[in-house]
Amino acid sequence: MSENVNENRRRSGVYIMGRLIGLVKPLFPVMLLAIVLGTVGYLCAIFLTVFAGYGLMHALSGPGMELPSWLPALILMAVLRGIFHYGEQYCNHFIAFKLLAIIRHKVFSALRKLCPAKLEGRDKGNLISVITSDIELLEVFYAHTISPIAIAVLTSLVMILFIGQISWPAAILALTGYMAVGVVIPLSFGGRGAKKGMEFRNGFGELNSFILDSLRGLDETIQYRQGDKRRKEMAERSDRLGRVLKGLNRLEASQRSTTNLVILLFSFAMLFLMIGMSQAGSVDLTGMLVGTIAMMGSFGPVTALASLSNNLNQTLASGERVLSILEEEPKVEEVSGARNVSFSDAEADNVDFSYGEEQILKDYCIRIPKGKVVGIHGVSGSGKSTLLKLLMRFWDVQGGQVLVSGQDVRGINTANLRELEAYVTQETVLFHDSIANNIAIGNPEASREEIIEAAKKASVHDFIMTLPKGYDTEVGELGDTLSGGEKQRIGIARAFLHDAPFLLLDEPTSNLDSLNEGMILKALKEEKGEKTVLLVSHRKSTMNLADIVYEMENDRAS
């Protein structure tokens, strides 16, 4: 993904389709079966009318096969058409839903690799739109695009050969008609709708972001009487999106009308051609009737292609946005394959780091000995949290080194590094789940007893037991049913449960009153054992726990 998910499409439609089709590889046999069933099904539908024409001509010619003798064959083809069509649709939707699950897993995996360096400050609503509606829209591509293209090509080739046995000029006319309806019209209208399709998907994502932002800030909106302003802006965004969608619908209607007109023109062209050839003696009456019927009845597969291009505008725009995430390179590459290390100490050695043009750390040095509580004191914005993120290797330094156990973190296995460190952030994120499961994020294999013990160490056990369902009490979305201090203590309980030798605490008492702060600091002092603790805070009182205290200057570089 580009730095901005709202960028205009840079990839061609052919490239996007090629990359999306490449994902079908594990399910290729099922796709092949869908194509075969779809082709045979369409041929049954086409030759139903062709054989009916043959039967009619034989019945009218007097001697020979009577009309009723053709009925069983016609009924059989009608029944087979239904069976084959059902089989094709079943296979296509089986592929679609399987692939949507695979793509979601790939997207989540990509987001995990991009996080946090590439996702910091990214439009969350747009990302949610990609993960949900954009991926869901790809169902149209996998269920109704890939096999119809192959079916249209195969069916058209069979019909060109069939009509060619009657008359090659007629076959050339049929080929021209199929190309016009199935290729020229979709490409012409698709090119005109591509930009609008991307505009609609981006606008839809932006509207999601606005609604998400409005819901999260509902209390402030009410408090400061901004409801009318937000409602007006939402209406404007909705109207703007509606106008884009209206343009897409107008384009779709134009394409449908053009397609029907072209089919009608080519059908009449075939009729007049066959009449002329019949009068010239090139074809007989049966050939004239059958050739015309075959042409008129064989536009179904290519008509399906023509109708695809409207949905394809949005589908390709969605594919572009999904591929942007899958193809984006992370700023911090994960390391694997190196030898695991044990924790001995940590160090920042002449570290330089900037967010864009803003210098945060310059030639910064600090040493964190094993078994000690090291405090970093400084005002907000001085780079304290940034140092912890560099130790976690959420970002890579631009100069100097960040060392753990004497090794540059850029050479330590990422999984090993995260096992050595437990990080408590300033804002603890809680999921819409039970308190026990929220704490268990620190160690998914932990027993209930271990979860309770971690909660006791974080001085949150007594509070949890006052709740109606205790540890099975579900917290609200983003933990909004709990206070900031309660959420922070649950975050500390996670860190205790993770049981890493190196504990990184970013303002662990910022949301706590003096009593709770004292309880947390007491618990940290008693429970740290052999752990090494890096304690970041702007509070002087928190630094009382530290064996070593470093002051971080307020000019954001030290």
Side-chain angles (χ1 to χ4, degrees):
M1 185 181 260
S2 61
E3 286 298 311
N4 187 345
V5 76
N6 295 322
E7 279 188 353
N8 292 331
R9 185 189 306 179
R10 297 166 301 164
R11 300 162 179 82
S12 69
V14 174
Y15 173 82
I16 296 170
M17 290 180 67
R19 289 282 284 114
L20 293 177
I21 290 172
L23 297 174
V24 181
K25 189 176 181 181
L27 299 171
F28 179 74
V30 184
M31 178 62 73
L32 190 61
L33 178 61
I35 292 170
V36 171
L37 292 174
T39 302
V40 176
Y42 265 116
L43 290 176
C44 284
I46 294 168
F47 281 97
L48 182 66
T49 57
V50 171
F51 284 177
Y54 270 121
L56 180 63
M57 292 305 298
H58 276 280
L60 294 176
S61 63
M65 191 174 295
E66 298 295 330
L67 180 61
S69 65
W70 286 85
L71 289 179
L74 298 179
I75 293 172
L76 178 62
M77 280 189 285
V79 172
L80 289 177
R81 163 59 176 162
I83 293 172
F84 290 142
H85 181 67
Y86 174 83
E88 175 214 345
Q89 291 297 305
Y90 181 88
C91 291
N92 282 334
H93 284 86
F94 174 82
I95 291 168
F97 294 126
K98 280 283 187 182
L99 284 176
L100 293 191
I102 291 172
I103 292 171
R104 282 195 180 95
H105 283 298
K106 286 180 176 291
V107 168
F108 276 115
S109 178
L111 288 175
R112 187 184 64 80
K113 292 178 180 178
L114 294 173
C115 185
K118 278 290 186 76
L119 300 186
E120 189 83 8
R122 189 70 70 83
D123 188 343
K124 301 301 187 294
N126 238 315
L127 287 174
I128 291 171
S129 178
V130 172
I131 296 167
T132 54
S133 60
D134 282 339
I135 291 179
E136 192 66 31
L137 198 58
L138 293 182
E139 184 267 340
V140 175
F141 180 77
Y142 288 114
H144 306 290
T145 304
I146 300 178
S147 64
I149 291 174
I151 290 167
V153 171
L154 293 175
T155 305
S156 298
L157 286 175
V158 172
M159 294 311 300
I160 289 168
L161 293 175
F162 176 77
I163 295 173
Q165 291 181 337
I166 300 172
S167 167
W168 278 110
I172 294 172
L173 180 62
L175 172 62
T176 306
Y178 298 149
M179 292 293 292
V181 174
V183 179
V184 176
I185 292 176
L187 288 179
S188 173
F189 281 86
R192 291 161 57 187
K195 185 177 180 180
K196 282 189 175 294
M198 178 60 83
E199 185 181 350
F200 179 80
R201 296 314 307 168
N202 286 336
F204 186 75
E206 290 168 4
L207 182 60
N208 279 351
S209 294
F210 182 81
I211 293 172
L212 184 63
D213 198 37
S214 298
L215 289 173
R216 286 179 174 173
L218 200 55
D219 292 346
E220 286 76 11
T221 300
I222 294 171
Q223 177 183 350
Y224 296 107
R225 293 180 293 177
Q226 294 295 306
D228 289 340
K229 180 180 178 182
R230 300 293 290 188
R231 184 166 55 249
K232 182 180 179 182
E233 187 173 351
M234 186 176 295
E236 290 174 354
R237 287 172 181 263
S238 298
D239 290 343
R240 194 158 54 242
L241 195 62
R243 287 193 293 271
V244 177
L245 183 59
K246 188 175 181 180
L248 282 170
N249 291 337
R250 191 181 299 115
L251 194 65
E252 180 181 353
S254 299
Q255 179 175 339
R256 191 180 297 115
S257 301
T258 303
T259 299
N260 292 336
L261 177 62
V262 170
I263 290 174
L264 188 64
L265 292 175
F266 273 99
S267 297
F268 276 112
M270 177 63 78
L271 176 62
F272 293 138
L273 175 64
M274 297 306 288
I275 290 174
M277 296 185 71
S278 176
Q279 291 176 345
S282 301
V283 296
D284 57 16
L285 186 61
T286 300
M288 180 192 74
L289 180 62
V290 169
T292 304
I293 291 174
M295 175 69 169
M296 290 181 173
S298 60
F299 277 107
V302 291
T303 303
L305 291 188
S307 63
L308 282 176
S309 66
N310 297 293
N311 286 329
L312 207 58
N313 291 327
Q314 289 194 52
T315 302
L316 291 182
S318 296
E320 160 80 0
R321 286 154 58 89
V322 171
L323 290 175
S324 293
I325 291 178
L326 296 179
E327 295 176 356
E328 186 170 1
E329 294 295 327
K331 284 186 177 179
V332 178
E333 293 284 353
E334 293 194 356
V335 178
S336 61
R339 189 173 66 180
N340 286 344
V341 301
S342 300
F343 182 79
S344 60
D345 61 1
E347 183 179 356
D349 182 20
N350 296 312
V351 166
D352 292 339
F353 183 78
S354 302
Y355 292 114
E357 299 297 322
E358 185 181 10
Q359 183 88 44
I360 306 300
L361 298 173
K362 183 174 178 60
D363 294 328
Y364 187 80
C365 297
I366 185 175
R367 186 170 182 276
I368 304 143
K370 183 177 181 180
K372 298 293 185 180
V373 178
V374 177
I376 300 181
H377 180 261
V379 298
S380 297
S382 58
K384 304 185 304 296
S385 299
T386 297
L387 177 62
L388 299 189
K389 292 173 182 178
L390 293 176
L391 284 163
M392 288 292 295
R393 199 171 171 250
F394 288 167
W395 280 271
D396 280 333
V397 298
Q398 283 104 36
Q401 289 179 302
V402 173
L403 306 170
V404 170
S405 301
Q407 294 193 35
D408 193 316
V409 292
R410 290 171 289 194
I412 299 176
N413 288 332
T414 303
N416 180 211
L417 182 65
R418 304 285 159 77
E419 283 296 320
L420 296 177
E421 300 174 339
Y423 179 33
V424 179
T425 60
Q426 292 185 37
E427 296 293 332
T428 298
V429 175
L430 297 185
F431 299 94
H432 190 36
D433 203 342
S434 68
I435 289 178
N437 288 339
N438 268 287
I439 295 175
I441 289 172
N443 179 7
E445 305 300 323
S447 65
R448 177 57 66 95
E449 290 72 22
E450 291 171 322
I451 292 171
I452 292 173
E453 185 61 29
K456 287 179 178 178
K457 292 178 181 179
S459 299
V460 73
H461 171 74
D462 292 340
F463 160 73
I464 294 172
M465 295 309 296
T466 65
L467 299 174
K469 295 183 180 179
Y471 282 85
D472 294 317
T473 302
E474 288 203 354
V475 300
E477 185 179 4
L478 299 177
D480 59 5
T481 56
L482 303 178
S483 70
E486 289 157 359
K487 288 193 288 185
Q488 202 157 22
R489 281 182 285 169
I490 289 175
I492 294 171
R494 281 178 184 167
F496 278 128
L497 188 63
H498 186 58
D499 199 28
F502 188 22
L503 193 56
L504 308 175
L505 303 176
D506 190 0
E507 300 282 3
T509 61
S510 61
N511 292 320
L512 303 178
D513 55 32
S514 298
L515 178 61
N516 279 309
E517 179 189 18
M519 294 172 63
I520 289 294
L521 295 178
K522 182 174 179 290
L524 286 171
K525 186 174 183 179
E526 292 174 350
E527 301 297 337
K528 80 178 188 67
E530 297 297 319
K531 287 181 172 42
T532 303
V533 180
L534 182 59
L535 183 60
V536 163
S537 180
H538 67 277
R539 286 186 175 184
K540 288 275 190 184
S541 56
T542 305
M543 292 296 105
N544 292 331
L545 179 66
D547 301 311
I548 307 168
V549 177
Y550 290 89
E551 289 290 338
M552 187 164 277
E553 302 297 331
N554 61 5
D555 59 356
R556 303 199 73 167
S558 175

